[in-house]
Amino acid sequence: MLRALIWDVDGTVAETERDGHRVAFNQALEEQGAGWQWDVETYGALLRVAGGYERLIYDMEGRATAPTSAGQRESLARAVHDRKNTLYTEMVASGKLSARPGVERVMDECAGAGIALAIATTTGRRNVEALFAILLGPRWQDRFGAIVCAEDAASKKPDPLVYRLALERLGIDASNALAIEDSPNGLAAASAIGIGPLITRSQYFSAEPFPACAAICDDLDNALTWRHGRAARADIESLRSLHQAWVSERTRATTDRSTRSA
Ligand code: XBP
Ligand code: MG
């Protein structure tokens, strides 16, 4: 039975990366005198590294103009990341970013159908708070059974820890949930512990193949396809159908594996 929908944030709830985090990173890099900027393409490649701080460290390792000692790089990354988050939350609070199509509708429909909502993200709590307060209003937290952010988990996606914690807090099994994701790291994190990942294609991962997803769509208001099924858009009926298909497929795969090894 489908009991919860667990949401990724960046790229899934809103297109926060290209025109949000990236722009704020560039302003912070300039203010801190780093001496370089991230263009749209460069930032897209760097998104393979989860976590803004980790992304800065990774990028500096290959940059001739970056500080030479590890200590200097870490202190620059900390300063840039902290300032970036301040600039990003200001940008979000000013209403520059909006929810992707279908996000608020699907959240409302889930509430009406008794399907819990949760958040599992590698971004920081203050970024999540700024975005959801502007999208859903000041009491947005009341709508979620679990909110798991970067501060809650020692390792970031593709590690499944944020999803594991979300399930624990919801008090449900992986087979009772679907994840909504946009990235290969997110897909890997959810599916590593058996949660079916529904992919909504985002700007940066529009050409990604995502062969192992439970279902895929351009956005939640558009056609949704899964193995042996399709629907005009994501709604309670299609979410339940694709979830059922995902669970049956996994059960079949497990049975086949144990039959082969017997
Ligand atoms: C999001 C991230 C984050 C954001 C920036 O991944 O990887 O690093 O890009 O936020 P996902 P921070 O959507 O898979 O959760 O700077 O707070 O890390
Ligand atoms: Mg994402």
Side-chain angles (χ1 to χ4, degrees):
M1 188 167 108
L2 178 59
R3 294 177 59 194
L5 209 52
I6 309 179
W7 296 75
D8 167 52
V9 176
D10 295 301
T12 296
V13 169
E15 287 286 8
T16 54
E17 296 289 9
R18 189 188 68 191
D19 304 325
H21 289 293
R22 185 188 69 89
V23 173
F25 268 121
N26 280 338
Q27 194 176 327
L29 284 164
E30 191 182 342
E31 285 178 15
Q32 297 297 325
W36 68 86
Q37 295 274 286
W38 286 342
D39 62 26
V40 169
E41 201 187 334
T42 304
Y43 190 70
L46 287 171
L47 276 182
R48 305 277 160 177
V49 181
Y53 172 82
E54 291 82 352
R55 197 168 296 146
L56 284 158
I57 294 288
Y58 173 87
D59 179 59
M60 277 192 258
E61 277 158 10
R63 229 173 240 285
T65 52
T68 44
S69 84
Q72 284 172 318
R73 288 202 292 263
E74 280 161 22
S75 99
L76 179 59
R78 261 195 307 276
V80 170
H81 191 233
D82 187 57
R83 179 70 181 135
K84 181 279 287 184
N85 284 336
T86 301
L87 293 164
Y88 173 80
T89 52
E90 285 169 6
M91 189 188 296
V92 167
S94 75
K96 284 216 172 74
L97 303 175
S98 48
R100 294 190 59 199
V103 167
E104 286 154 281
R105 175 184 59 76
V106 171
M107 287 183 177
D108 288 346
E109 288 177 7
C110 282
I115 296 172
L117 301 176
I119 292 170
T121 177
T122 56
T123 198
R125 190 163 288 266
R126 65 175 163 143
N127 297 336
V128 172
E129 279 170 356
L131 184 67
F132 280 88
I134 202 89
L135 298 184
L136 303 179
R139 300 199 51 191
W140 68 272
Q141 301 206 20
D142 299 351
R143 301 184 57 178
F144 293 86
I147 301 168
V148 186
C149 307
E151 292 82 353
D152 303 306
S155 26
K156 297 191 162 71
K157 299 173 190 174
D159 189 291
L161 186 54
V162 279
Y163 279 105
R164 210 186 291 286
L165 292 171
L167 290 178
E168 263 171 42
R169 291 178 194 182
L170 289 167
I172 62 167
D173 193 75
S175 63
N176 295 124
L178 283 174
I180 306 204
E181 273 289 352
D182 73 305
S183 71
N185 281 341
L187 180 142
S191 49
I193 54 168
I195 303 175
L198 188 177
I199 297 292
T200 55
R201 288 194 175 282
S202 60
Q203 285 166 341
Y204 272 122
F205 298 108
S206 60
E208 199 72 29
F210 294 115
C213 66
I216 193 159
C217 59
D218 286 341
D219 63 55
L220 298 174
D221 276 347
N222 260 294
L224 182 62
T225 58
W226 61 97
R227 206 198 295 259
H228 312 307
R230 57 181 287 114
R233 65 180 192 172
D235 56 21
I236 299 301
E237 194 189 334
S238 55
L239 291 173
R240 283 189 172 135
S241 299
L242 75 89
H243 172 255
Q244 190 51 55
W246 164 264
V247 171
S248 308
E249 215 169 289
R250 277 185 63 83
T251 311
R252 224 177 6 255
T254 313
T255 315
D256 288 354
R257 261 199 310 277
S258 46
T259 312
R260 268 198 306 275
S261 65

